[in-house]
Amino acid sequence: MYRKAEDFAAEWSKASKGTMKVLESLTDETLDQAIVEGHNTLGWLGWHLATAPAYFGGLVGFDINISGDPNTVPDKASTIADTYKNVAESIQRQAEELTDEQIVEDVDAHGTPTPRGALLRTLIDHQTHHRGQMTVLLRQAGLNVPGVMGPTKEDQKK
């Protein structure tokens, strides 16, 4: 849980840049890549990362607008990346306006009072989880796997 607003803003800045690297690795042709048939695809995971922050943002009182239907995965990788970029920038701006008092303040999370900082921690964890799934699928699809939390095997060869 975050107890300092600046801690979330700093971590979001770093984490969203890493997610952007992963989304920029997508191609239109590989959006249907899944580990096995019937599982989440690169396109679904990317679109989920682009749209889910609006859900978390709404819980904490942020105003996040998404262009497009969260339930319909676009057929263009650039749409996914552009949507995420706009959402991430909106979260960053609003996070930088939070006070330390607001970050520890309880908000309603579906009937359960929950500190805003706990929900923002969940947002980061949720993003990291799905971003990791995507890196496996990127490699499986033969795409570049960017170093997000350290160098990849390809980075080490350079």
Side-chain angles (χ1 to χ4, degrees), residues 26-134:
L26 297 176
T27 65
D28 297 347
E29 299 74 31
T30 58
L31 293 179
D32 289 332
Q33 179 71 46
I35 195 147
V36 293
E37 187 160 337
H39 284 252
N40 294 334
T41 64
L42 274 173
W44 186 91
L45 288 164
W47 191 235
H48 183 61
L49 284 177
T51 60
Y55 165 75
F56 288 102
L59 289 176
V60 301
F62 290 172
D63 182 22
I64 311 289
N65 295 311
I66 294 175
S67 59
D69 178 2
N71 298 312
T72 304
V73 177
D75 58 3
K76 297 285 182 205
S78 61
T79 301
I80 295 170
D82 292 345
T83 299
Y84 178 80
K85 182 180 180 194
N86 291 333
V87 166
E89 288 172 351
S90 181
I91 288 176
Q92 188 70 46
R93 280 191 305 275
Q94 293 176 69
E96 289 172 357
E97 295 174 4
L98 283 177
T99 65
D100 290 345
E101 292 76 23
Q102 290 172 314
I103 203 131
V104 297
E105 177 181 51
D106 281 348
V107 295
D108 179 15
H110 303 290
T112 302
T114 307
R116 188 174 273 117
L119 292 169
L120 292 171
R121 174 78 254 163
T122 302
L123 167 61
I124 294 276
D125 292 344
H126 175 263
Q127 176 175 253
T128 303
H129 165 69
H130 288 306
R131 189 176 65 205
Q133 291 176 315
M134 289 186 74

Side-chain angles (χ1 to χ4, degrees), residues 134-145:
M134 289 186 74
T135 61
V136 171
L137 294 179
L138 288 174
R139 178 154 289 127
Q140 188 179 18
L143 298 173
N144 177 56
V145 178

